[in-house]
């Protein structure tokens, strides 16, 4: 069994980056390897845009296509979680218009859902031991 805790990202506003973490706890008796999850979804509740990215990935705004794309610099690197232990994975929130695009980050509730998969071996072709979906809710408040 794998459990996930989300650390509090704290306050964030347009024009900045904020990083927080997911903490994975491996309650099994063996080491497991979590597939890289880029957390590359752009999430919206209709009144703004929140861009998030995970391990080795980051967004850029394509002005000609008027969309945000997320590129990953690193090759496949599973997250090793020892038996009975834990590991943390960063998630960065991007609100800078050069990365998140021209849609402003406005007050509201934003939800990110990311599918997770883990294996017994670091090779992604080995049989899956488990799957889950982590759901993170961000609440953006008005400033000032």
């Amino acid at each position: 069994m794998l459990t996930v805790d989300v650390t509090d990202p704290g306050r964030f506003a347009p024009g900045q980056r904020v990083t927080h973490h997911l903490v994975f706890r491996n309650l099994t008796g063996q080491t497991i390897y979590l597939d890289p999850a880029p957390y590359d979804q752009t999430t919206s509740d209709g009144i703004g845009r929140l861009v998030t990215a995970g391990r080795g990935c980051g967004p850029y705004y394509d002005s000609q296509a008027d969309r945000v794309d997320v590129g990953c610099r690193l090759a496949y690197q599973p997250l090793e979680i020892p038996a009975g232990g834990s590991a943390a994975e960063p998630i960065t929130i991007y609100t800078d218009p050069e990365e998140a695009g021209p849609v402003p980050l406005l007050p509201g509730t934003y939800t990110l859902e990311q599918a997770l998969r883990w294996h017994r071996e670091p090779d992604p072709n080995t049989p899956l031991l488990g799957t889950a979906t982590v759901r993170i809710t961000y609440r953006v408040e008005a400033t000032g």
Side-chain angles (χ1 to χ4, degrees):
M1 180 178 180
L2 184 70
T3 65
V4 184
D5 292 319
V6 181
T7 63
D8 183 358
R11 292 184 170 266
F12 52 95
Q16 64 179 177
R17 290 182 193 176
V18 174
T19 298
H20 69 112
H21 290 82
L22 296 184
V23 179
F24 299 96
R25 287 185 175 75
N26 177 0
L27 304 179
T28 72
Q30 60 186 315
T31 296
I32 60 175
Y33 297 88
L34 187 69
D35 280 353
Y39 304 97
D40 62 356
Q41 300 173 39
T42 301
T43 60
S44 175
D45 65 357
I47 58 171
R49 177 181 285 162
L50 182 67
V51 177
T52 57
R55 219 169 349 142
C57 302
Y60 60 93
Y61 174 60
D62 180 342
S63 59
Q64 293 199 345
D66 191 27
R67 71 169 191 242
V68 175
D69 288 320
V70 175
C72 298
R73 305 182 307 279
L74 304 175
Y76 182 85
Q77 291 185 327
L79 182 65
E80 181 178 336
I81 310 171
S86 64
E89 179 169 63
I91 295 181
T92 302
I93 302 164
Y94 296 84
T95 61
D96 187 323
E98 289 186 11
E99 295 167 317
V103 178
L105 179 66
L106 298 176
T109 301
Y110 300 79
T111 303
L112 170 70
E113 289 189 355
Q114 175 69 54
L116 303 173
R117 302 164 13 122
W118 58 94
H119 309 263
R120 182 176 291 115
E121 302 292 333
D123 180 352
N125 298 313
T126 60
L128 284 173
L129 282 177
T131 61
T133 300
V134 63
R135 182 177 180 156
I136 307 166
T137 300
Y138 298 101
R139 288 181 183 81
V140 178
E141 298 176 5
T143 57

